[in-house]
Amino acid sequence: MTRVTRRSWTQDQINLLCALIDKGVSPVRASVALGRPKLAVQNKARQLGKPFPDVREVKAARLAREARELEAIARREHARMPRTASGSSHGH
């Protein structure tokens, strides 16, 4: 049987939770920082009207950001390549 304990949230903990959510911290990391179960942290965030983003949304956003960064790197590398096939140097 699960044990239900009620620990009230201090204003400092609520402020920290809001700051962590704003920084994009995961519910697991927030639970570690606050010393509370993940579910308690998620429920409190929802009560405050600041729910954590869905895991699938966070992953999709991260993958999209990484893809954009890789494209930017590829464009920079392509721009650095010499224009001629001879590979001649311009004395740099």
Side-chain angles (χ1 to χ4, degrees), residues 5-80:
T5 57
R6 288 253 177 220
R7 275 179 37 217
S8 35
W9 288 74
T10 67
Q11 192 57 50
D12 285 345
Q13 289 174 326
I14 291 171
N15 293 344
L16 177 57
L17 175 60
C18 291
L20 292 171
I21 293 168
D22 291 342
K23 278 172 79 174
V25 171
S26 72
V28 171
R29 288 186 184 216
S31 74
V32 170
L34 290 160
R36 291 178 177 265
K38 182 181 89 159
L39 199 55
V41 169
Q42 289 175 307
N43 287 338
K44 189 61 175 181
R46 209 172 297 117
Q47 283 175 5
L48 295 170
K50 294 181 70 112
F52 286 92
D54 184 72
V55 172
R56 291 174 295 249
E57 293 172 17
V58 171
K59 183 176 182 182
R62 179 178 50 82
L63 291 174
R65 186 180 64 245
E66 289 172 358
R68 285 193 307 273
E69 290 169 359
L70 288 172
E71 287 173 12
I73 291 168
R75 279 195 302 273
R76 283 196 301 271
E77 290 300 315
H78 182 71
R80 276 192 220 161

